[in-house]
Every structure is written in structure tokens, then in C-alpha cells.
Amino acid sequence: MPSFQKISLNCSAALSPVGSWGGRGSFLVLLLALPLLVAGCQKKTPPPQMPPQPVDVVTLKTQPVTLETSLPGRTDAYEQAQIRPQVNGVIVSRDFEQGADVKAGQQLFQIYIAPYQAAYDQAKAQLLNAQAVAARANGQLKRYRPLVAAHAVSSQDFDNTLATAREAEAQVAQAKAALEAAAVNLNYTHVRAPISGRIGRTLYTAGALLTAGQTQPVAVVTRLDPIYVDVNLAATDMLRLKRELADGQLERNGTDAAAVGLRLEDNTEYPVRGKLQLSEVTVDPATGTLVMRAVFPNPDHLLLPGMFVNAHIQEGIDPHGMLVPQVAVARDAKGNPYVMVVDGENKVSQRSIQVLRTVGESWLVSDGLKEGEKVIVSGLQKVQPGAKVAPHEAPPAAPAGKAE
């Protein structure tokens, strides 16, 4: 077999007639190398490119946005009295309907009165006896005064008479106090409502034994009109609201109180507006919040203690508000918000923004975006800055709420 130091072929030589090579060995080498030579002479086809990733976008536009602070909270009773017996005894009668309205001073229960009536009568008799003894001692003292001046009786007898009279007066005072105590206990057998309001259910009926100072109340009376709403407010928001109230930006309810609206658990608006009444004097160091209390009229007793509500304070209207759906906003490692924007060439870029507050399902943006720009709201996980996309306008969302 002939030896070859170097074979240099071009495509035209490789495909030339075999006869030009000469020799059987050359023919075999050519036959073995021919597939490789042909493959090398073919043009390489570039790999297929991925089509642009389809994404949903929202075209931004400015719009009037109502600014308000929304504060979740719970209702609390304006007044509530837990009624407990002050004397021991058996209930003779229950004199109210459960769930009804009662008036201050109305009798609710009657405790067996006989032993307390007897104690009152006994104390009254003791007072009469003490008054009789005192009258006799004072009469004797009155007779002894001129006699001791005339030296008809000794000074010792006069001093004894004076001491006896004073002891009798002290017995009268003690008897009066005992009578008053008996009268108080006698009055406690009539268990009355201390305030006007609605009375709840009770577990006590006629025949039940009550104990003075027991821990469980026999009934609870709650005043429902007006009613409190307690909310937690960040200290920074409290300072801002105070400034806005002083500047006249907030609606007032009275001379120096901000008006407050109320949204119920079923997302309906309470028809009557209330007012901020007070705030706690200390801020919780763990949360940086303090409790604010608003008071609302409640003539129809629609609000009940313990209900979850949302109080909101209107702060005005931003005529050129820029809203971005919350699903479009992400945050970087430092917690700064950003969005993905699609430019006129359908290329994606990352844009840092500044957000103020939530408005329904959107963020109110103060800086970083302009009207007419397109923000990606769907498909964010599959795009990177610089990539080309196929944007499609997302369907319109529900009407925006108020800025919170």
C-alpha cells in the first residue's frame, strides 16, 4: 500500500473522477474518507431561534384617585355592666326578658328578702333603744349642770353623768350605722340594672342560689348607642393625619375631630359617619402602633360589640394618580420595588419605582413610570431584561378602590 505524507484536498478535488487518483490504495482511502469530505463541504445550518415569549401587559394612564387611610378594627361597647349579686340568697323571680332593652334602675332579679327585712327591723329597734337611753342620759346631764355649779352634787357624779350621756350618743351613732347597713343589704335583694341598654342571656332562673361577689355575672347590660370602634394606627400615620387635620385637608366632624367612615364585614358602607375621639398616650414599642378610638351613632343597633370593621379617613383626591397592579410589582434583595417594562421594540427592561400606598388591587406609584408605558403583569417568571416578548394587552381589571 503506498504511503502518503500529506493529502490536501479541496471540495472540487474530492468530488473529481476517481480515475485521477490512480492506484487501488488511493481508491480505498478516498472511498473511506468520502462521507467525511462530503459532510465537511456542506453548509452548516444555524439552530432555530425561540419565538418571543408572550406576556400580558397593562398600558399605564393617569386617573383621579381618592386618597384615604383604611384601618381594620373592631367594635366595642360604649358602656357595659356585668351584674353580680351583692348579698347571698335564692332568686325568687327574674323580672326581664332576655335580649330586651332595659332602663337604668329597672329590677332584674328579686332575691329572697325575709332575712334581710328581719335584720333591718332589728337594727331599727336597736336604734330606738339607743335613742331612748341617750335621751335619759342627756336629761340627767341637763339636771346635773346647775347642781354641780351650786355644789349640790359632786364633780365626780357630774363627770360620770357626762360620760354616760356621751356613751349613749355613741350607741345611737352605732345603731344608725347598723340600720343603714341593713337598709343597704335589704335594697341589694332587688337586683337592678345600673345602666340603660340591651340585656343578654342569663343562666340564672328562679330558685338559683346567688353568692355575694361571685365571679360569674348573673346578667350583662350593654349600651349600643353610640358605639366605639378601636383601630391600630402606625405612629407615622398618626403624625401625618394630625398634620393634615391641622392643615384642613381632612373632613371634620365637630370642631377638632376628623370624620371617619365605616365599611362592614360584608363590604357595605355604614350609612352614618363617626369621628375620632381619642388615642392611646403610648406607642407599642414592639409594633410601632397605637390604638385610636372612633365613636359612631348606632340608633338601629346595626353594629354589635366584637364585629370586625374597616374604618377609613378620606384625605383628598390625587387628580393624576398612577396605578400599577400589585401582581406586576416585585422587590429586589434590598426590598426596593421594581417592574418589568416593555419598550417600543418589545424589549424588556427592569425599572425601579416608588410606591405610596395600596388602592384596591393596585399600587399608587409616585415615581419611576410615565403615562403610556407598558408594564408586564403576567409571564414575569419567563422573561429577563433585554429579552424580546410578544405583548398582549391584559383584560381590564375591576374599578380601582380608594387609596389606603
Side-chain angles (χ1 to χ4, degrees):
M1 179 180 295
S3 62
F4 297 89
Q5 294 181 353
K6 185 176 181 181
I7 298 176
S8 178
L9 298 175
N10 55 30
C11 292
S12 59
L15 299 177
S16 62
V18 179
S20 63
W21 280 76
R24 182 176 294 182
S26 299
F27 176 76
L28 293 175
V29 171
L30 177 61
L31 191 62
L32 294 173
L34 186 59
L36 298 176
L37 293 173
V38 173
C41 292
Q42 293 177 347
K43 294 182 179 180
K44 295 184 178 179
T45 303
Q49 295 184 352
M50 294 294 293
Q53 176 67 35
V55 293
D56 290 337
V57 298
V58 169
T59 303
L60 302 180
K61 61 180 180 179
T62 59
Q63 57 184 303
V65 177
T66 301
L67 304 178
E68 69 175 25
T69 296
S70 182
L71 306 170
R74 288 195 179 275
T75 55
D76 194 13
Y78 191 84
E79 289 181 333
Q80 189 174 72
Q82 296 184 351
I83 301 169
R84 295 178 175 85
Q86 303 299 308
V87 293
N88 302 328
V90 175
I91 296 177
V92 176
S93 64
R94 190 189 72 192
D95 305 323
F96 66 92
E97 291 292 333
Q98 300 180 75
D101 292 331
V102 297
K103 298 293 185 181
Q106 178 180 333
Q107 179 169 306
L108 305 178
F109 295 95
Q110 176 62 58
I111 297 176
Y112 185 56
I113 198 175
Y116 297 99
Q117 184 67 54
Y120 175 81
D121 294 340
Q122 183 179 5
K124 187 175 182 179
Q126 289 176 350
L127 174 60
L128 294 175
N129 180 68
Q131 288 174 337
V133 173
R136 183 172 61 249
N138 287 327
Q140 187 174 0
L141 178 63
K142 184 177 181 180
R143 290 190 299 271
Y144 270 38
R145 286 187 185 280
L147 296 177
V148 71
H151 301 287
V153 295
S154 64
S155 298
Q156 180 67 42
D157 290 341
F158 178 78
D159 292 341
N160 292 338
T161 302
L162 178 61
T164 300
R166 291 180 175 176
E167 289 177 357
E169 292 175 355
Q171 292 295 328
V172 171
Q174 290 181 355
K176 287 182 177 179
L179 181 62
E180 291 175 358
V184 170
N185 289 334
L186 181 63
N187 185 59
Y188 279 152
T189 61
H190 308 280
V191 181
R192 294 183 170 89
I195 62 173
S196 298
R198 179 164 296 179
I199 194 167
R201 65 187 182 92
T202 180
L203 302 178
Y204 293 87
T205 60
L209 176 63
L210 303 181
T211 304
Q214 66 185 47
T215 57
Q216 185 178 23
V218 294
V220 177
V221 178
T222 304
R223 181 179 174 184
L224 299 176
D225 183 25
I227 195 167
Y228 287 131
V229 174
D230 294 336
V231 297
N232 289 319
L233 180 66
T236 54
D237 291 337
M238 183 268 294
L239 296 175
R240 174 174 54 81
L241 291 176
K242 282 191 172 181
R243 287 194 298 267
E244 293 176 350
L245 180 64
D247 295 339
Q249 299 180 30
L250 301 184
E251 179 186 352
R252 292 177 179 267
N253 190 341
T255 56
D256 57 352
V260 186
L262 201 64
R263 196 170 293 115
L264 306 182
E265 287 186 273
D266 59 357
N267 208 33
T268 59
E269 191 73 15
Y270 187 64
V272 185
R273 296 181 69 78
K275 63 180 179 179
L276 283 178
Q277 188 177 59
L278 59 90
S279 66
E280 289 287 0
V281 296
T282 56
V283 177
D284 187 345
T287 61
T289 62
L290 72 163
V291 176
M292 302 284 289
R293 170 164 281 184
V295 60
F296 284 81
N298 191 28
D300 298 329
H301 297 174
L302 179 63
L303 301 177
L304 300 176
M307 293 177 64
F308 177 79
V309 293
N310 271 285
H312 51 86
I313 304 172
Q314 290 192 1
E315 303 176 54
I317 296 177
D318 183 355
H320 304 292
M322 181 79 71
L323 298 179
V324 175
Q326 293 185 23
V327 294
V329 180
R331 294 186 181 270
D332 57 21
K334 296 182 179 180
N336 299 317
Y338 68 89
V339 294
M340 292 295 188
V341 180
V342 178
D343 60 16
E345 299 179 354
N346 293 339
K347 287 186 178 181
V348 178
S349 62
Q350 181 174 316
R351 185 82 57 81
S352 297
I353 61 173
Q354 298 291 332
V355 296
L356 294 176
R357 58 180 73 187
T358 58
V359 184
E361 299 297 326
S362 301
W363 282 104
L364 179 62
V365 178
S366 61
D367 191 21
L369 293 171
K370 298 179 181 179
E371 186 174 10
E373 291 187 310
K374 297 181 179 181
V375 174
I376 299 178
V377 296
S378 177
L380 289 168
Q381 298 82 0
K382 301 179 182 180
V383 297
Q384 295 293 333
K388 270 205 167 187
V389 294
H392 302 281
E393 192 71 22
K402 298 179 180 179
E404 302 175 355

